[in-house]
Amino acid sequence: MKSIRRTQRIISLIIMLFIAGMAFLVLKINHEADFYMMNSDTHQLGFVYDRKGDVLFDGTGQGSYPDNYFLDVGNLIGDDKGQMENTLVARNLQKLNNYSFSDGLKKQGGKAAIYTTLNHEANRAVFNSFGYMEGCVSAYNYKTGEILVCTSLPSLDVTKGYEGLENFKSGTLLSKNLYGTVPGSTQKVSTVISAVEIMGSAQLFSKSYTCNGKYTNKTGNDIDCHNIYGHGTQNIQEAFENSCNPFFAQLIEDNDMPLEKVKKQYEKMGYVLNGGKPTYIDINGIQCETASTTLENSYEFRTQWGCIGQGDTLVSPIQLMMWQSAIANGTGKMTMPYLIDHVTDLNGHEKEKAKTHYSEKLFSESTASTVKQIMLTNGSDRYAYLINGYKVGVKSGTAQVDEGAKENSLLVGFVDDPSFPIAFCILIEDKDSGYLTTEQVAQVLLDNLKNNY
């Protein structure tokens, strides 16, 4: 009798283990089926749309579109061919899969789709404004985080494939908005933020330094000004508007700007210092490089040059744009950017819906207010007729690249309008190769967003 009961318990245990194993197997298949279908030859992809329903990617490959219809978004949206990894499609391929374990594969009529925040019409207008020149532009709603424009030149229309890939121009297969670039004097925004945080507004505005066209720092290195005749004696507002390098070199040397505090503030803003391990900002799976620079000695050229925006300093245009949100919002917190507004499954049911998120506090509200006013004053004094019709806070920058052989032009800023809260970063590469200016691109950008907002 005991033997029979023991046998029954063993059999019951085996049956329970079998049922548990089968349940685990079903859950595993249900969870991983999408992955295996995506890596098979029979998957069927859906569409990527802009905020108004324009197609940005056609996973069926059967649509008919005008020539170069996808050119302005080619290296951001990407495709499923494996040539570009850091794109929206490549990072979110499973969201476009018209397959589920319960419904199987829908070869026709599947409604799996990604609906983005992009404004294709504005994006294309900005792209076209560059003509034969190259660079990138990003713009977003600094209250919500919706990326509205993100275009990079050169680019490609993915429907034309990759024949002659070896002859593609450098940078064609990546969005330059996501990668570090020499920021030039747009870096001075970060240095002003640090100075206000460390000294306070009153003390910073009480300081003045003299520029004679060149400043020899305390270790004997020369910091040149773009104005060979100098700017004379200036306060922080005047130096910011003049983009005066000697002023900022002397500010970094000032005893009221201890380097350890500068380093701490730069790190709060997301800089990787002195060769530290690189980090990334995640935008719907896309990796955006974070800023980096060298801060070792306040009196040395390398550190001063880095705080001015040259030397070892690299910042992605996306991150330059994000810092503008922390200023424009007046909170000292960045509004985190996103590209995906919502996702639908193969039956058209909404699965995911974006929400607004913020970073940790990078600097105080009072610092945000002070820097905002400095940038708005610069906008009204220097840009009112260059960017017409908008109250903007801005900072321009000229970045020496290729060991000084070329210069890039940058413009970062925001529109101070609660009904039109746009922050942006514009980069024109090799600015002297043409007649395009960042202000002209900004006008095209803002006008097209305003008309399609």
Side-chain angles (χ1 to χ4, degrees):
M1 198 67 173
K2 290 182 179 179
S3 177
I4 293 173
R5 289 176 182 165
R6 190 183 304 115
T7 301
Q8 287 176 334
R9 285 196 292 267
I10 292 172
I11 292 172
S12 297
L13 180 61
I14 292 172
I15 292 172
M16 290 174 63
L17 290 172
F18 176 78
I19 293 172
M22 289 299 294
F24 174 77
L25 181 61
V26 169
L27 288 172
K28 184 175 178 64
I29 291 173
N30 186 45
H31 179 70
E32 298 182 358
D34 287 355
F35 171 81
Y36 291 110
M37 284 299 299
M38 289 306 304
N39 288 276
S40 74
D41 295 328
T42 58
H43 67 260
Q44 182 67 53
L45 298 179
F47 290 81
V48 176
Y49 299 100
D50 88 332
R51 63 191 301 110
K52 294 187 175 182
D54 277 7
V55 175
L56 303 180
F57 170 75
D58 181 351
T60 69
Q62 298 173 1
S64 178
Y65 305 94
D67 190 43
N68 289 328
Y69 184 76
F70 301 111
L71 186 60
D72 62 295
V73 294
N75 50 24
L76 174 71
I77 301 300
D79 58 18
D80 60 326
K81 301 301 186 290
Q83 294 289 349
M84 296 180 287
E85 294 183 357
N86 199 32
T87 63
L88 188 73
V89 170
R91 299 292 188 180
N92 295 275
L93 208 53
Q94 292 187 33
K95 291 181 173 66
L96 295 172
N97 191 9
N98 276 305
Y99 169 86
S100 73
F101 181 68
S102 57
D103 294 306
L105 179 67
K106 280 198 175 184
K107 292 186 178 182
Q108 299 291 333
K111 296 179 180 179
I114 293 173
Y115 292 80
T116 73
T117 60
L118 287 173
N119 185 318
H120 194 201
E121 188 172 349
N123 206 73
R124 189 187 299 115
V126 172
F127 182 93
N128 290 340
S129 73
F130 272 73
Y132 62 86
M133 299 188 75
E134 299 176 359
C136 63
V137 179
S138 55
Y140 83 150
N141 183 317
Y142 61 73
K143 291 188 177 295
T144 65
E146 299 164 281
I147 296 177
L148 303 169
V149 168
C150 191
T151 194
S152 177
L153 300 91
S155 187
L156 74 162
D157 185 337
V158 295
T159 63
K160 296 183 178 181
Y162 298 89
E163 185 176 353
L165 178 61
E166 66 279 3
N167 297 320
F168 284 16
K169 286 185 177 181
S170 175
T172 297
L173 300 185
L174 56 85
S175 176
K176 295 172 183 175
N177 289 291
L178 303 167
Y179 299 92
T181 189
V182 181
S185 288
T186 60
Q187 174 75 4
K188 289 169 182 168
V189 175
S190 296
T191 302
V192 170
I193 288 170
S194 300
V196 178
E197 276 289 277
I198 293 167
M199 297 184 192
S201 177
Q203 187 176 15
L204 177 60
F205 270 88
S206 73
K207 291 184 177 293
S208 61
Y209 309 105
T210 301
C211 166
N212 295 313
K214 179 184 293 187
Y215 172 69
T216 303
N217 68 16
K218 292 183 179 180
T219 55
N221 298 117
D222 289 337
I223 301 290
D224 292 326
C225 187
H226 62 87
N227 183 343
I228 61 174
Y229 302 105
H231 293 110
T233 301
Q234 310 159 93
N235 65 17
I236 185 62
Q237 183 68 52
E238 295 164 328
F240 188 86
E241 293 188 28
N242 291 327
S243 206
C244 180
N245 292 342
F247 179 98
F248 278 85
Q250 292 172 82
L251 176 63
I252 294 300
E253 285 185 345
D254 196 296
N255 289 332
D256 290 324
M257 278 277 282
L259 185 62
E260 288 305 312
K261 290 187 177 182
V262 176
K263 289 166 66 175
K264 183 178 179 181
Q265 180 56 43
Y266 266 50
E267 287 177 333
K268 284 180 69 175
M269 292 180 65
Y271 286 85
V272 175
L273 301 181
N274 306 331
K277 185 179 179 181
T279 58
Y280 298 91
I281 300 165
D282 182 89
I283 304 174
N284 298 117
I286 299 172
Q287 289 189 333
C288 176
E289 291 180 352
T290 53
S292 61
T293 193
T294 298
L295 300 178
E296 294 179 337
N297 186 331
S298 295
Y299 301 144
E300 289 184 348
F301 178 86
R302 192 179 183 188
T303 293
Q304 293 172 5
W305 208 224
C307 291
I308 289 168
Q310 290 289 157
D312 298 332
T313 304
L314 294 172
V315 191
S316 70
I318 287 282
Q319 193 167 18
L320 285 168
M321 177 189 73
M322 291 168 63
W323 288 329
Q324 295 301 303
S325 71
I327 297 166
N329 280 325
T331 62
K333 296 180 179 182
M334 296 183 298
T335 308
M336 302 307 293
Y338 61 89
L339 273 168
I340 297 178
D341 179 77
H342 65 280
V343 175
T344 56
D345 64 18
L346 76 169
N347 295 311
H349 300 140
E350 188 174 296
K351 294 196 301 181
E352 304 173 19
K353 177 65 178 175
K355 295 180 180 179
T356 299
H357 296 282
Y358 303 96
S359 71
E360 295 181 355
K361 188 179 287 293
L362 308 184
F363 42 87
S364 68
E365 289 89 346
S366 61
T367 292
S369 177
T370 297
V371 178
K372 182 177 182 178
Q373 190 55 55
I374 289 173
M375 294 189 69
L376 285 170
T377 301
N378 185 38
S380 62
D381 287 351
R382 303 295 180 102
Y383 293 87
Y385 296 103
L386 297 173
I387 306 174
N388 187 41
Y390 306 95
K391 184 181 179 182
V392 293
V394 291
K395 181 70 187 83
S396 64
T398 300
Q400 297 174 357
V401 296
D402 295 343
E403 299 182 351
K406 297 178 180 179
E407 289 186 337
N408 295 341
S409 182
L410 296 98
L411 187 71
V412 298
F414 58 89
V415 180
D416 188 30
D417 182 349
S419 67
F420 189 54
I422 304 298
F424 57 85
C425 178
I426 299 166
L427 165 65
I428 299 175
E429 297 177 334
D430 193 12
K431 68 183 183 68
D432 295 326
S433 66
Y435 299 100
L436 184 67
T437 67
T438 52
E439 296 84 6
Q440 291 170 335
V441 176
Q443 191 75 59
V444 172
L445 169 70
L446 296 178
D447 284 350
N448 276 273
L449 284 177
K450 189 71 170 179
N451 292 336
N452 294 284
Y453 197 64

